[in-house]
Amino acid sequence: MSKLTETIEAVAQMILHEKDYLSDLDAKIGDGDHGINMARGFGAVLDVLDELDHPENPKLVLHTVGETILENVGGAAGPLYGTAFLRASDACSEDEKLTIASVDRLLSAAIAGIKKRGHAERGDKTMLDVLIPIHECFTAPYAEGSTLYECLADANQAANEGVEYTKTIAARKGRASYLGERSIGCEDPGAVSSMLMFRAAYQFLNR
């Protein structure tokens, strides 16, 4: 098993563990099923990772995860997260190594996919309010002179701050947008799931 597949397994376990928390957050401003949908999808991801013929191929791993999420995660999250993994796979080589530059390139592709699929931008109270600050920690000039693990630590903090930021703004996308100003004060569930996914990856890689 490769480090990437082990990292994704850690991410999946985090989502399964926080399923009820994510659904409780979603119940405040959405349908209340974000955790259920995410857990269903990442449960399926765990199953397919066990069956992969070439887990050492990061391009294949990311593509398989993207397809699995698209097929198994309901609501808006499935198309967005699925697209993110697929676009990252498109930008990934079959022998990709974990470096600041590779994280920068793959996150850039994933975020571009989410923006196009969701017609969203930073400040709309979505997962992008976490993913874009994470990505910035791996770009110049932020990452200059830093090690990979310093960038990961900075990005973990940026993810937490991104979630807090979503409390201060009104939702402009999805069902939460129907609430308008009443959505202020609540975290965006997609931002929280993105933060938790990165936290799981950071904790695993930092071991």
Side-chain angles (χ1 to χ4, degrees):
M1 184 173 293
S2 71
K3 180 174 285 188
L4 176 60
T5 55
E6 289 181 316
T7 302
I8 293 174
E9 285 193 349
V11 168
Q13 293 294 348
M14 174 70 85
I15 291 298
L16 292 172
H17 185 264
E18 300 294 346
K19 175 184 70 174
D20 292 341
Y21 172 55
L22 290 171
S23 287
D24 287 345
L25 289 177
D26 194 35
K28 296 178 181 178
I29 58 174
D31 292 331
D33 58 359
H34 185 58
I36 295 169
N37 289 335
M38 292 290 288
R40 182 189 305 117
F42 277 93
V45 166
L46 288 174
D47 291 337
V48 299
L49 288 180
D50 283 340
E51 300 170 2
L52 271 183
D53 291 331
H54 298 286
E56 75 285 351
N57 181 339
K59 187 177 186 71
L60 173 64
V61 170
L62 292 172
H63 184 85
T64 301
V65 171
E67 290 284 2
T68 303
I69 289 174
L70 278 177
E71 293 170 3
N72 291 278
V73 177
L80 296 175
Y81 279 125
T83 297
F85 277 97
L86 289 175
R87 295 293 81 78
S89 173
D90 291 343
C92 186
S93 68
E94 295 186 355
D95 59 352
E96 195 77 64
K97 305 301 181 188
L98 183 64
T99 65
I100 292 174
S102 66
V103 175
D104 174 14
R105 187 173 70 258
L106 269 58
L107 279 176
S108 178
I111 288 167
I114 291 172
K115 285 182 174 181
K116 184 175 181 179
R117 188 71 183 255
H119 305 287
E121 296 290 340
R122 189 175 191 171
D124 285 341
K125 198 181 180 92
T126 71
M127 61 182 67
L128 290 174
D129 293 311
V130 162
L131 294 175
I132 291 174
I134 287 174
H135 176 227
E136 287 177 344
C137 294
F138 297 90
T139 62
Y142 302 95
E144 290 177 0
S146 298
T147 67
L148 172 63
Y149 290 97
E150 287 171 340
C151 290
L152 288 166
D154 290 344
N156 188 57
Q157 180 61 33
N160 294 330
E161 293 170 358
V163 167
E164 290 301 309
Y165 170 65
T166 66
K167 292 182 183 180
T168 70
I169 56 177
R172 298 177 182 171
K173 298 292 176 180
R175 182 171 291 275
S177 65
Y178 301 157
L179 297 176
E181 296 296 312
R182 288 179 292 157
S183 66
I184 295 175
C186 298
E187 304 99 321
D188 175 69
V192 175
S193 60
S194 292
M195 178 272 289
L196 290 172
M197 290 163 66
F198 189 83
R199 177 187 292 174
Y202 168 65
Q203 290 175 343
F204 175 80
L205 294 170
N206 203 41
R207 285 215 300 262

